[in-house]
Amino acid sequence: MIADVIAVVLLLAIAAYSCAGGTDYGAGFWDLTAGGAKRGRRPRWLIDHAMAPVWEVNNVWLIFVLVIMWTGFPVMFQTVFAAMWLPLTLAAVGVLLRGAGFALRKPSRRLAGRRLYGAVFAVSSLLTPFFLGAAAGGVASGRIAPGTPAADDAWSNPTSLLFGLLAVAATAFLGGVFLAADARRFRADDLDGYFRRRALGALAAVAVLAVITLFVTHDDAPHVWHGLTHGVGLVFVVLAAVATLATAGLLLRTPGSWSRVTAVAVVASSVIAWGMAQRPYLIPTSLTVTEGAGASSTLHWLGIVTLVAVLLVFPAVALLYWLDTQGELEPLTDADLRRPGAGDQG
């Protein structure tokens, strides 16, 4: 029972990272496609201002996922990282390079340096979600099992490639929706329309890729296909479809903040549908939740740590997100620093 609870927590953490981290990756995608220095100046200005307050905290979810995997399900952790070390290593390198590129781009004084760091940030924002999605597709396809050696087929099969493309499209969609909302917050009406159109295009790509993936998994990942078309998995597929239609309608109509809620619902429902479709397996069809779970005492302590995180860490992260979306985390300007009393110590 406790193993099932921890497995659900792991799935929810993956969904949280897909939504929070995915939004940041999506911002990097639009940075990459913004065009040259002149044409892309304003979109990149918005991307820098929108990401600055929260881009580092989103990796909290990734750390939480890794901690749950290696402590709660060590056999799964060993199997996945041994069989697909290459895409996961590339994804980890992408996370590091992406953070370095974003952090160093703005303070760089030379144009060549800004371009270099900006390119590192943007390209890493494209490749990292692709490799993470490809690894998830390798798990879903059931091509790995305990003891499986590393092989290209584990992550370069049709299901993996489609999962990777879906991850890129989903992050671009989330990034477009949130950047459009940030454009309204900064009263940049031209960028609102700019990112809403791109969010709609990315949403269409997500819908098309999702349908193709469903057909491909019929033969390439039959267990997951059955789970997506029956039971709880189907319920979340339907929820994702409804949220997709709602988001499209909101993006086409009067601007509003609800599009962010429905966009998160699209991605979260899709991730949860995939997790529910794999039941009762961690890795179809070779490792069940019960077989892959760690010691009972470890799982109980992990449950306590998770409860502490729910009570202490998650509210703080939620507050940070709320403050950011309300525009309360704007950086100080020169005018702020010159106000009387700004330098007083008490």
Side-chain angles (χ1 to χ4, degrees), residues 26-230:
F29 177 90
W30 297 122
D31 189 292
L32 179 66
T33 60
K38 183 177 180 180
R39 184 163 65 92
R41 182 178 62 85
R42 278 186 55 75
R44 292 191 178 101
W45 165 82
L46 178 64
I47 289 168
D48 282 344
H49 280 71
M51 285 184 57
V54 297
W55 70 278
E56 288 180 295
V57 75
N58 289 327
N59 286 323
V60 166
W61 302 110
L62 178 59
I63 295 170
F64 193 53
V65 168
L66 294 175
V67 169
I68 293 176
M69 280 186 66
W70 79 54
T71 56
F73 304 101
V75 177
M76 177 190 182
F77 184 87
Q78 179 184 10
T79 300
V80 171
F81 277 77
M84 292 186 288
W85 68 268
L86 180 57
L88 292 174
T89 298
L90 292 173
V93 171
V95 171
L96 294 174
L97 291 178
R98 179 179 176 277
F102 182 74
L104 296 174
R105 174 171 67 174
K106 192 172 183 179
S108 179
R109 295 185 177 183
R110 295 184 178 181
L111 178 60
R114 289 198 297 272
R115 286 178 173 174
L116 173 62
Y117 294 132
V120 170
F121 161 68
V123 173
S124 298
S125 296
L126 173 68
L127 297 180
T128 301
F130 175 80
F131 286 121
L132 289 175
V139 173
S141 68
R143 283 179 167 81
I144 62 174
T148 300
D152 292 343
D153 182 61
W155 62 276
S156 61
N157 55 80
T159 299
S160 289
L161 295 177
L162 281 168
F163 268 50
L165 293 174
L166 259 175
V168 172
T171 58
F173 159 62
L174 283 171
V177 171
F178 275 76
L179 286 169
D182 285 322
R184 295 191 291 275
R185 174 159 60 92
F186 287 110
R187 295 180 176 83
D189 294 338
D190 58 324
L191 293 178
D192 177 20
Y194 176 94
F195 282 113
R196 285 169 66 193
R197 290 190 297 272
R198 281 155 179 75
L200 279 168
L203 180 58
V206 169
V208 171
L209 287 169
V211 172
I212 295 173
T213 301
L214 195 60
F215 280 103
V216 169
T217 55
H218 181 274
D219 295 320
D220 200 55
H223 181 83
V224 169
W225 176 86
H226 184 271
L228 290 172
T229 54
H230 297 80

Side-chain angles (χ1 to χ4, degrees), residues 275-296:
M276 291 295 103
Q278 292 195 172
R279 292 184 311 159
Y281 295 100
L282 292 169
I283 302 176
T285 51
S286 60
L287 185 68
T288 65
V289 172
T290 302
E291 293 169 346
S296 177

